Amino acid sequence: MENKVITVTSPLLPSLDDFIPYLQDIWNRKWLTNNGHYHQELEKALCEYLKVPYISLFTNGTLPLMCALQALRITGEVITTPYSFVATTHSLWWNGIKPVFVDIDPVTCNIDPEKIESAITPKTTAIMPVHVYGKPCDTERIQEIADKYGLKVIYDAAHAFGVEINGRSILNEGDMSTLSFHATKVYNTIEGGALICQDEKAKQRIDYLKNFGFAGETTIVAPGINGKMDEVRAAYGLLNLKLVDVAIETRRQVAVKYREALANVDGIKFMEDMPGVRHNYSYFPIFVDAEKYGMTRDELYFKMKERNVLGRRYFYPLISEFSTYRGLESANPANLPVAHEVADSVICLPMYCGLSRKEITKILQCVLK
Ligand SMILES: *Cc1c(COP(=O)(O)O)cnc(C)c1O
């Protein structure tokens, strides 16, 4: 047991016994996909849980990003952050849109709204920010800029399941928000995702787009794609939805223990809760100041690995460093100093709801020397 590997995450799984009757029912119905019974049930349940007016389920969290861009007819250039998972920028690339990277805020790790305006050109049509680690972006300031310049806002909210400010979901900000229900996320449907929108017409258009553009038996209204979630994963999602509140509370308790233990460690910083925000504790990033800590981020990362504690350098490298994007003018490191500093100092500690007290101690011992 001593040497059991502690992974950075572990999926929230419903009990198999609870799942089997759902499978039996799906087998009886013989309706496996295309807006089936459980698909409809999960959309209803998620609208209620997330406090959003309209949701459209997808087979992963990348296709809703791509469909949001199609639904809003985004073209030209889109302002986004290099400090995210590659899918954010890839969705732009797949739509033939030029990503324009803007630096991040050192406290929230989200796009710095004060740096957006100077990146706007006549070709800019939208802003695609990310609520990194589920920490809300400065949505008010971003909306102000979008309104001033007539831009759309699409939030990649893959990390922000269930995050609220003063009881209001942050998923209702901007024109549309997307979620990922990948196995590694706070709430998962194995693979899965969703697109949240604010009116019925947008929901209708998204539902067409994720089903090849079919608006009727013989009518195709757009060059859609296949992004549909199937019945098995929708049923699984209904079961996991019942567990997610407890999972988030357990994660919160892990975060509290981490913070208590690391509060006085020289050269290690971490994120605090924000007032009025219901966080989901999706990740626990620490930021290593090599000089003060006496060890570089990578030295700590590999030391943890040697002791079978797997952290993750998330997000490193920056998206702007990958071959597809590094030739862009906005990918120049001189344009993104904060993002580079954060990417070079971050390690996400293991965070999931099954972490035992012993495992937490072992993880902390690595960081505490
Ligand atoms: C996980 C993730 C995605 C992609 O989701 P998939 O479900 O894996 O396709 C997109 N953006 C961010 C920020 C993510 O973390």
Side-chain angles (χ1 to χ4, degrees):
M1 283 326 258
E2 265 299 286
N3 275 325
K4 200 177 138 239
V5 175
I6 303 176
T7 50
V8 70
T9 187
S10 175
L12 180 65
L13 278 165
S15 110
L16 194 53
D17 287 342
D18 290 346
F19 193 33
I20 286 168
Y22 283 77
L23 291 176
Q24 185 62 60
D25 189 51
I26 292 167
W27 259 242
N28 292 345
R29 288 174 187 271
K30 299 188 193 304
W31 184 306
L32 300 182
T33 186
N34 288 68
N35 199 27
H37 172 74
Y38 288 109
H39 186 282
Q40 291 177 29
E41 290 290 303
L42 184 58
E43 284 195 346
K44 255 187 264 163
L46 282 171
C47 274
E48 205 167 297
Y49 179 86
L50 296 170
K51 305 180 184 171
V52 299
Y54 299 97
I55 196 166
S56 184
L57 295 175
F58 279 78
T59 193
N60 61 51
T62 302
L63 285 164
L65 285 167
M66 291 172 56
C67 285
L69 293 163
Q70 288 276 326
L72 295 169
R73 300 184 183 282
I74 305 300
T75 57
E77 296 178 4
V78 169
I79 289 172
T80 190
T81 170
Y83 194 72
S84 180
F85 181 64
V86 284
T88 313
T89 314
H90 283 354
S91 72
L92 298 171
W93 202 261
W94 274 69
N95 275 288
I97 294 163
K98 180 176 168 189
V100 175
F101 297 113
V102 161
D103 208 2
I104 62 170
D105 177 280
V107 176
T108 62
C109 297
N110 292 327
I111 195 166
D112 185 343
E114 298 318 316
K115 294 186 181 144
I116 291 176
E117 278 193 86
S118 62
I120 295 173
T121 77
K123 288 185 184 152
T124 310
T125 56
I127 308 170
M128 185 180 274
V130 181
H131 301 294
V132 175
Y133 309 130
K135 294 275 189 288
C137 289
D138 186 346
T139 54
E140 234 171 86
R141 186 74 191 105
I142 291 169
Q143 196 58 52
E144 241 174 58
I145 297 165
D147 290 344
K148 182 170 164 192
Y149 291 88
L151 307 176
K152 300 284 186 197
V153 184
I154 300 165
Y155 283 100
D156 180 341
H159 296 183
F161 187 90
V163 175
E164 297 177 2
I165 305 180
N166 299 322
R168 193 177 184 281
S169 172
I170 63 165
L171 302 173
N172 291 321
E173 300 297 333
D175 293 278
M176 291 183 186
S177 289
T178 67
L179 288 169
S180 165
F181 305 151
H182 183 256
T184 53
K185 306 296 206 266
V186 167
Y187 167 81
N188 82 84
T189 59
I190 305 175
E191 293 265 4
L195 181 41
I196 287 137
C197 61
Q198 300 300 312
D199 65 84
E200 206 175 337
K201 272 193 190 153
K203 156 83 172 153
Q204 178 72 265
R205 182 159 172 77
I206 292 157
D207 285 346
Y208 293 156
L209 282 171
K210 78 173 179 192
N211 188 26
F212 308 100
F214 274 109
E217 225 178 277
T218 53
T219 317
I220 294 281
V221 292
I225 199 159
N226 182 2
K228 305 184 302 291
M229 181 184 280
D230 63 76
E231 285 293 276
V232 173
R233 287 190 281 153
Y236 173 105
L238 279 168
L239 283 172
N240 253 0
L241 192 56
K242 296 182 192 169
L243 308 178
V244 75
D245 278 334
V246 173
I248 290 173
E249 172 53 22
T250 316
R251 285 167 171 272
R252 189 188 67 78
Q253 290 167 14
V254 176
V256 167
K257 289 199 183 97
Y258 280 158
R259 286 176 185 155
E260 277 171 12
L262 299 174
N264 298 313
V265 181
D266 235 14
I268 298 287
K269 277 195 301 188
F270 50 81
M271 291 173 142
E272 297 288 355
D273 285 359
M274 294 158 73
V277 175
R278 187 224 187 201
H279 292 285
N280 65 11
Y281 306 94
S282 46
Y283 301 90
F284 195 89
I286 61 168
F287 305 92
V288 182
D289 177 333
E291 224 161 274
K292 285 191 194 150
Y293 184 63
M295 197 185 273
T296 66
R297 183 275 307 272
D298 283 349
E299 282 167 348
L300 174 59
Y301 171 76
F302 288 109
K303 177 179 131 187
M304 287 166 60
K305 209 169 184 175
E306 237 165 63
R307 297 190 188 177
N308 282 335
V309 175
L310 304 184
R312 188 173 175 198
R313 290 168 290 179
Y314 196 64
F315 298 103
Y316 167 86
L318 294 174
I319 301 175
S320 50
E321 291 295 294
F322 295 120
S323 59
T324 316
Y325 306 113
R326 70 178 171 225
L328 295 168
E329 205 181 311
S330 65
N332 188 334
N335 182 46
L336 309 166
V338 181
H340 274 274
E341 200 182 317
V342 173
D344 288 341
S345 71
V346 69
I347 302 178
C348 286
L349 297 185
M351 172 55 94
Y352 52 90
C353 77
L355 270 181
S356 71
R357 194 180 278 265
K358 262 194 170 164
E359 286 169 323
I360 294 170
T361 306
K362 185 173 166 186
I363 294 157
L364 285 167
Q365 275 168 353
C366 294
V367 186
L368 296 169
K369 285 157 208 191

